Amino acid sequence: MPVSVLIVDDSPIARKMMRRSLPPDWDITIQEAVDGAQAIDIYRKGGVELMFLDLTMPNIDGYGVLEILQAEGLNCIVIVVSADVQPQARARVLAMGAIAFIPKPVNPEGLQEVLRQYGILV
Amino acid sequence: MADQQNPQLSGFIVERMELGVFAVDSSFNIVLWNHFMHTHSGKSWESLKGTNLFASFPELPESWLKRKIEHVFALGNYAFTSWEQRAYLFRFKHNRPITGGVDAMLQNCTFLPLRDAKGKVELVVITLQDCTDNALIQQRLAEAITVSDEERRKQQELIVKLEDAKNQLYQSEKLASIGQLAAGVAHEINNPIGFVNSNLGTLERNVTDLMKLMAVFESKETELPKDTQRELSKIKKEIDFEYLKEDLAALISESKEGLSHVRRIVSDLKDFSRVDQSGWQIADLEKCIDTTLNVVSNEIRYKATVVKEYGHPPLVECVPGQINQVLMNLVVNASQAFPERGQITLRTGEEGMYVWIEVEDNGIGIPPENQQRIFEPFFTTKPVGTGTGLGLSVCYNIIRKHEGDLIVRSEVGKGTCFRILLPIFHGKMGESEEIEFANSAPQ
Amino acid sequence: MNKGLSEDQTDALQELANIGMGQAGDSLARIWKEFVHLSIPKIAIVDASRLPALIHGFVGDTAVSASRQAFHGGFRGEVLVVVSAKDRNGLANLMGYEGQLDSVEREEVLLDIVNLLGGACVGGIAQQVNAEIGFSAPSLIGEDIDPLDVIHPDQLAIDKALSLEVCFQVENRSLTAHLVILLPNNEVGALAELLDQFLCTL
Ligand SMILES: Nc1ncnc2c1ncn2[C@@H]1O[C@H](COP(=O)(O)OP(=O)(O)OP(=O)(O)O)[C@@H](O)[C@H]1O
Ligand SMILES: [Mg+2]
């Protein structure tokens, strides 16, 4: 069964960069959302297992998405990917249920390590 | 990279060029020190190799320089210092005779990141350029610019003064020509009026004599033949002789009255232009107002009712001809501020060491944005050819010369009030000048 | 900037600027051992004639200090940093200055700020598109000047400019800076090409 991945970022380039940093031969299906509102819609349809979430976005930002997910039972793994690398941001998203915080630009090796650590990638 | 092309050549250039070059690692240990640095610091590469920069040069501004270098290590960007803000990094003697108060070599420094293969900054290379010569030239240039700026500023001031003087001149010419005209007219009219007046006197006497004669004739009328009597009474009826007798006296006295009015106008004109008396005098401002009103009465008669509220302030030391000019401008402006008919109120009073005059109208008023500008020369809202816009600027200058003040209060749709404040006394009258009302001069 | 940038290119530039500033903020926080926040820069391409109004709109009716720095290499241009005059002193001790600043030191701080922010932003972008960029020494445009006097468009030889708004905060000291990148008309093509190359690798 392929893993269902959702990439949430308002910048198309950032979404492309995210796609490119995922392990190449990983069995996944990828969906994309251009803002938090769309991300919530897709999440509510069910099936999303792993979400890469940007923080600064129009129509519900990353924090807003995490808040809604938490309220709705947080039924998927969230990794926050942001250029906003301040430690406060990191602490806050981890407290809100994200399993990891990865600074942009995403370093593919670093990402794989996180994925392995949490048993998402074997 | 250059050192891959010809390491010997680049090594030689770094070592020998007229530029200080040195490098430190991330612990601030010296890893490069060229000949220029050696000769100027007096410390050789051999003695400095691997030593801590701040240990070897304790006089360096450590906290600032450390930060600067740390930034380059962390961000991989360039950094700079310029002699204009920081005269030098190292205090080196400069090898020119001391000129312009420079006692040390002025330096521009560049901090360059040197990256390793992974892109991490490994060393920071600092170059140090002697800018003393440039700096001196620049300083001299700056001085020259300051001088020329100052000159330009003075010129600008002069131009403004010139402009002021021009306006003043223009106005005093205008004043002078009005004065000359008035004096000329007064003179020309004076003579004919003189003999009309004396003729009128003679005429009055002659008529009185004639009437005396007529009275005698009339008393003897019944002695004449009936036919003649009938003819006389017919003619008397025809010419309404009874009325004629009365009217003749009235005509003469009315003419005399009219003539004295003309004489008053002529003398006012002379007063107003003060061709006979100029300069500082002790004057009665209420008289000034009356004179001015007489002169402009024709201009304003059909536009405004004039109300006087005189407070009988003390006499004032002033140049009456100029005060008349101010009053005339204010009154004419007021009369031009009515869409239909209005009222002009003239008030006087005393306040401390000042006498004030108010010229108030209930006309269209002046919008706030214009109130700042009405005293500027050539500011006018009147149609081209109607106003020159000089009136109030002249008033202002005159009042300023009197060390007084001219203040406007106005509300659109309600009206405008100009208040003139004049110091009662300011010792402008030289002893050589004639004092007209010497007795009433304030102490 | 007669051709300007395509939507993709602008988006890429925005993302690269985000990343560049984020990295710079991180590096500075490590040195200063204080929490640094660099906001996501807002990028816009504007008519050069609109720059004075833009800068005024950004800072409001307050005096500003401005400095400039030229860069050259993979693409060439000038970066301008405008900060509102009152914000600047709080940063001085982070730059290693001690005690009360005199007027010359204040100037130097201002030059250091343009150097840091310009370097972080333009350098960050350049690094990610694999362009070598060098910088010339920064220079002062003016201190405590009217925001409308920073740029006189009639003196610029360019039609369009890249404007970046960055908010730069260190703990409770905050400095809001406005960066404007001026690219000569013919340099936009060079930048566009570098961005395209970058986009191709995605
Ligand atoms: N009493 C007033 N009511 C309304 N506006 C006035 C009054 N006095 C002056 N102003 C305004 O101030 C302007 C300047 O007045 P000023 O006397 O200097 O010039 P002017 O009357 O336009 O021209 P000039 O006096 O040379 O004929 C006028 O054009 C008018 O707009
Ligand atoms: Mg007038």
Side-chain angles (χ1 to χ4, degrees), chain B residues 329 332-333 336 382 391-392:
Chain B
N329 273 321
V332 169
N333 277 351
Q336 291 169 343
K382 291 167 191 170
L392 285 176

Side-chain angles (χ1 to χ4, degrees), chain B residues 338-351:
Chain B
F338 304 122
E340 285 168 31
R341 206 183 153 79
Q343 177 174 312
I344 300 174
T345 310
L346 292 145
R347 288 187 207 93
T348 57
E350 184 183 357
E351 195 181 285

